[in-house]
Structures are given as C-alpha cells and as structure tokens.
Amino acid sequence: MLRKMAVGNWKMHGGAARLAELDRMARAQLPEGVDVVICPPATLLDRARAAAGNSAIAIGAQDCHAEPEGAFTGDISAPMIAETGARYVILGHSERRAGHHETDADVAAKARAARAAGLTAIICLGESEQQRERGDALDVIRAQLAASVPDGATPETLVVAYEPIWAIGTGRTAEPKDITEVHAGLRDALTDRFGASGAAFRLLYGGSVKPGNAAEIFAVADVHGALVGGASLTAGDFLPIIAALADA
Ligand code: PGA
C-alpha cells in the first residue's frame, strides 16, 4: 500500500488573503497517513510555508525553470523554490502545456532540475476530449509518461498525476472504469521501465475532484490520491477530500 497524497493546486488564485484558508487547514486535525501539499502562486510560497508552520502540510510550487539560474525573465528556478522551504513542484500541467507550449522534453528537463534541487516533482499527464473520443487516450498518456518522466526518476522524488484535460475545471470527472484503465496502463509502463521500483510510484487522479465525488474516485484501484484545483481553495472543501482519502 503506497502512502496517500492530496495535492491542492491553487493556480493563479489567491492573494495573501487566501492564506487564511491554509491557516484553517493547518489548524485542523489532519489524518495520519496522507501527505498533504498546497501549491500556491509563487508570490505566496514563503508566506504559505510560514502559514503551514509545524502542521503536516507541505508546500509546493506550480512550475519551475529547467536551469538553476540565468537570464530567464519572469521564471523561477527549482533551487529558488527549495529555498522557500517548499518541497514539491507541479510540472507539465495541461494549462502550462497549452498556454506556455511546454513539451514533454521541457517537462523532463524541469523534473531533472527539481530532483537536483531536492524537490519532489508531480508530473501531470492527460488526454484531450478528442483524443479520448478517437480511442487514443491510453497511447497519448503512455507517450507523455515515457517522454516527461526522466531516466533515474525514483518513487521518492516523483509522483504522476493523471488529469484528463476535459475534466479539469469542468465539473466532469472520468468514469472509474476509465481511471482504472489509465492507471493500469501507467503502472505497466512504469514497471516495464523502472523494474520493481515502478510499482512504488504514486499515481494521483485530477480533474474536478470534489467532496461529493472523492470517495468514489479514491475507491478506484491504484489511485493513491488527488491533484485538486478549485476544491483546494477553501478548507471547507479540501479537508473533506483529505478525510475521504484517509478513509479509502
Ligand atoms: P480542478 O483542477 O480540480 O479545478 O478540476 C485540477 C487541476 O487542474 O489540477
């Protein structure tokens, strides 16, 4: 049984006032056995780390550059993220793949940078609606996995999140049978490539996870947690998701 994980991706939401929600989460009785991570906008990393205090909540960033430093206006590097006390970084989110033209090779380079800085990478993969309708979902996802996860990746420093693009922020979620199929495909690919350690990578599901559907999603085989967008913005929504994960 792999350790469970609930990751909140705040995206470009939240000025400092949003930290009150993190404070509420940090003061709640969090269940043992679940790694809880909040990924705020980069401007809040320092203050989020402070708000998390001695609670079990870890902080993550939403992207990093592949280089540790240099003339890259507007970017932040993995060592800079690590310096804030953050321990995770989301990489290859579909919004960055679409909006910033990030390729699988870019994601792999960023994942190598994250590892070098001591951060755990949360690598996002997922098919578009057209790809699913054409029956190509599994092929697309396996190709993304092969090219976005760098050689030498370890289960301690890399987590994979399956996020069907059409389920993100739409209120639609993948069917349990489709999540089962994709996660089984990811697992096969990981064990083919990494041998025994391939069985130890955690696989998260993301895309419109809410308190009302969390239990059903966490009951799916080989789902170890969730990458949560909208429902991670308030303690009122995120805490019940964490509780459902602990109970699964
Ligand atoms: P959502 O976002 O939960 O708002 O659908 C998930 C994500 O993009 O990580």
Side-chain angles (χ1 to χ4, degrees):
M1 185 68 195
L2 305 182
R3 202 170 151 81
K4 298 171 179 176
M5 187 168 190
V7 183
N9 173 12
W10 281 6
K11 309 192 180 185
M12 199 171 72
H13 295 293
R18 176 67 53 188
L19 292 173
E21 294 297 333
L22 176 55
D23 192 55
R24 262 179 221 121
M25 295 173 200
R27 279 186 289 126
Q29 188 73 43
L30 293 171
E32 304 233 328
V34 179
D35 289 337
V36 179
V37 184
I38 289 288
C39 301
T43 51
L44 294 181
L45 284 171
D46 264 317
R47 280 174 287 175
R49 182 56 215 105
N54 291 328
S55 77
I57 300 177
I59 302 302
Q62 300 173 13
D63 177 48
C64 71
H65 197 277
E67 295 297 330
E69 63 176 358
F72 303 107
T73 302
D75 283 307
I76 58 171
S77 72
M80 291 170 179
I81 293 165
E83 195 179 50
T84 69
R87 292 177 26 222
Y88 294 84
V89 59
I90 297 170
L91 295 175
H93 191 283
S94 63
E95 288 154 13
R96 292 203 61 86
R97 290 176 185 266
H100 296 263
H101 312 293
E102 284 188 14
T103 64
D104 291 328
D106 293 332
V107 177
K110 290 173 181 218
R112 282 190 290 271
R115 187 173 61 215
L119 299 173
T120 296
I122 300 160
I123 306 268
C124 304
L125 316 163
E127 81 284 5
S128 68
E129 184 148 40
Q130 284 158 321
Q131 288 164 335
R132 174 149 294 276
E133 277 166 5
R134 282 204 303 266
D136 293 343
L138 211 49
D139 288 344
V140 166
I141 293 158
R142 287 177 72 122
Q144 286 177 338
L145 182 82
S148 303
V149 172
D151 287 338
T154 68
E156 294 75 35
T157 59
L158 190 138
V159 176
V160 175
Y162 166 50
E163 296 206 307
I165 296 169
W166 49 269
I168 295 174
T170 59
R172 297 163 58 200
T173 50
E175 295 289 330
K177 72 168 176 31
D178 294 329
I179 303 175
T180 305
E181 185 190 30
V182 170
H183 281 222
L186 290 171
R187 183 62 69 202
D188 284 349
L190 287 166
T191 49
D192 282 353
R193 180 163 166 202
F194 294 103
S197 78
F201 285 88
R202 291 182 283 182
L203 303 179
L204 312 182
Y205 169 81
S208 298
V209 176
K210 307 286 177 205
N213 61 23
E216 185 187 21
I217 290 165
F218 297 145
V220 174
D222 223 358
V223 171
H224 308 286
L227 179 53
V228 184
S232 72
L233 288 169
T234 63
D237 280 337
F238 199 41
L239 291 172
I241 292 173
I242 296 167
L245 182 57
D247 290 346

